Amino acid sequence: MAKRHIKVVELFAGVGGFRIGLEGASDAYDTIWNNQWEPSTQHQDASLVYQARFGKKGHCNKDINKVPTTEIPDHDLLVGGFPCQDYSVAATLSRSGGIEGKKGVLWWQIYRILNEKGDKRPKYIFFENVDRLLNSPATQRGRDFAIILASLSDLGYVVEWRIINAADYGMPQRRRRTYIVGYQKDSVVAQKFETMEDWVEFDGVMAKAFEFKPKEKTVSEFDINGTIQEVSAGFNKGKKDSPFGNAGMMMDRHVYSVDADPVYDGPRQTLGGNLIDEKLVPEDFFISDEDLPKWQYEKGAKKIERVSKEGFKYTFSEGGMTFPDYLDQPSRTIITGEGGTAPSRFKHVVQTPSGRYRRLLPIELERMNMFPDNHTLHPQVSDGRRAFLMGNALVCGIVEAIGKSLYQFIYGEAPVSSKPIFIQRDARPMLDLGLFADENKIFVVNRPKKQYTLDKTKHLLIGVVKKDNEEYFLKEEPTKIYYTGISGTFPSTIALNKLYYFMPYIKKQGVSDLYLIRVARVGTKSEVHPETEDERPRLVFELEYLESLPNKQWVFLEKDKDFAFKDTLLGKIFKDK
């Protein structure tokens, strides 16, 4: 089998959230060039972290406005979380025939790169932005998004989008963002398109990644007509609401959209489940008794008399915030001002088992965005700046899921990754900065916990782990892949559609760890171990760790050809837990 290879260029890269998510989706995604530039500061914290984790090769720390398209290598997939700004355009075209936008408006840099790539522009695009993109600006609802869709249509892309709240799909943060995926009309993905309604609701890249149920009477269909300048000046003018639903697609300037209700019944992560042990928290993250009233004031409801610049008196009011933050729910949205010791309405505060109050550590903020632990740890980056970086970041788990779906549409097979999103990237020695050499703040801490309800009436498969795979299953990692023997050796008595849980059986040790079977499919051993060149079909279970028994338990295994197993109900194994 030829090696799959998707060349990726990452714009507005931050500390690499897109890269982590895509690498976690499939080894095929290869980031060959990336750009990160923070215009508001001389100290390029995100660029420092990015290079420390991924190396200097292909990294560009220059203002994208000043990077010629000729310096950006040809690629298959362009990704980026472009900043939300004013997308309006000037009334005239520039001499070059392109769009003359406001200086520094970064959407037009994406457009410029795609336009100037010509027939070498990427087959696929994948962007992230704030959820309000579909409703902005307030004076002309939906205009900004209409400009983006029209621009991409004129470049030959079919585009779909979803507003996704990560917490709705079991992730640890309530973070609503707009995700946009596009593909050239001659691409293999576009050839699978049948109808807009079916693609958006059932068959498309987004629908396969994040299942949803359409809200009744929210379907909207319309065309985006006119030049980009005409769209900018007149789209939806005078209307109260945006015509865009939170799920939809556009093809040839025709839009189909609907409002989506998420569908998800798997394990869920919470703020409390991602906190580190209290004894490891540095003292300066705790709130003193003296400062606690200041925090309570900031979090409380207020009505304050103020005077405007023009001398008018008015009452400023705001509602109360949760204090402390709920530990049994996903966190609130992390913002860039999360760091620092000053009392704030928007910073998270948790109460520890001892009763003390404290702020969140950078490692916990990383976990809320599903980054590897200590990803932003760098001797030249302060804790406050690490918090800022996470306030600007995306949730890697969202990118991973969409990346998996996109891969399946491109290649028609399940993706495999040797770098799941929780894998830590070590400091790269090529920087020659002695990074992390004397660093003593790297925590070795508890792993995140999840909320779920065990259903003891569900089927559990216990399968023996072969000797060469035992070390892999003894590692404490949240996801695993289990390969059975070749398909002819798997017991025909096991009903695959009934399997729900899995426990690996380690010889001479028994069973301990319980996993949820996320995906059951057919694959080959060479997916993960290409050196074997073993292309014989096998059953593959993609697993998510749930918990472990307090003590290892012996189980009698049945034997079917070359496969030792037990097909039972979860209640039998957990009855004495």
Side-chain angles (χ1 to χ4, degrees), residues 35 39 66 73 109 159 180 184 204 248 274 309 332 347 358 467 488-489 494 506 525 538-539 551 554 563:
N35 176 270
K66 300 174 183 177
Q109 295 307 313
V159 180
I180 303 167
Q184 285 282 325
N274 282 275
K309 291 181 180 179
R332 292 178 290 105
K347 294 175 187 177
R358 70 171 178 88
K467 190 71 177 175
T489 68
I494 295 178
I506 309 292
K525 191 172 183 178
R538 301 168 185 267
L539 283 173
N551 299 298
W554 295 102
F563 185 62

Side-chain angles (χ1 to χ4, degrees), residues 375-392:
H375 182 78
T376 58
L377 184 64
H378 190 292
Q380 297 177 39
V381 180
S382 68
D383 286 343
R385 291 301 292 177
R386 289 177 68 185
F388 177 88
L389 296 175
M390 283 298 100
N392 265 340

Side-chain angles (χ1 to χ4, degrees), residues 140 142-143 145-151 153-154 221-237 243-244 250-255:
Q140 198 177 336
R143 180 207 69 189
F145 196 52
I147 290 172
I148 289 173
L149 292 182
S151 302
S153 181
D154 294 351
E221 286 197 65
F222 57 92
D223 293 315
I224 303 174
N225 296 314
T227 65
I228 300 299
Q229 288 72 22
E230 289 169 341
V231 174
S232 178
F235 181 83
N236 206 39
K237 200 162 190 177
F244 295 109
M250 180 269 327
M251 184 174 187
D252 294 326
R253 296 272 199 120
H254 184 72
V255 171

Side-chain angles (χ1 to χ4, degrees), residues 55 71-72 248 269 289 489 494 567 569:
E71 291 185 9
I72 302 174
Q269 294 193 52
D289 292 341
T489 68
I494 295 178
D567 177 16
L569 297 182

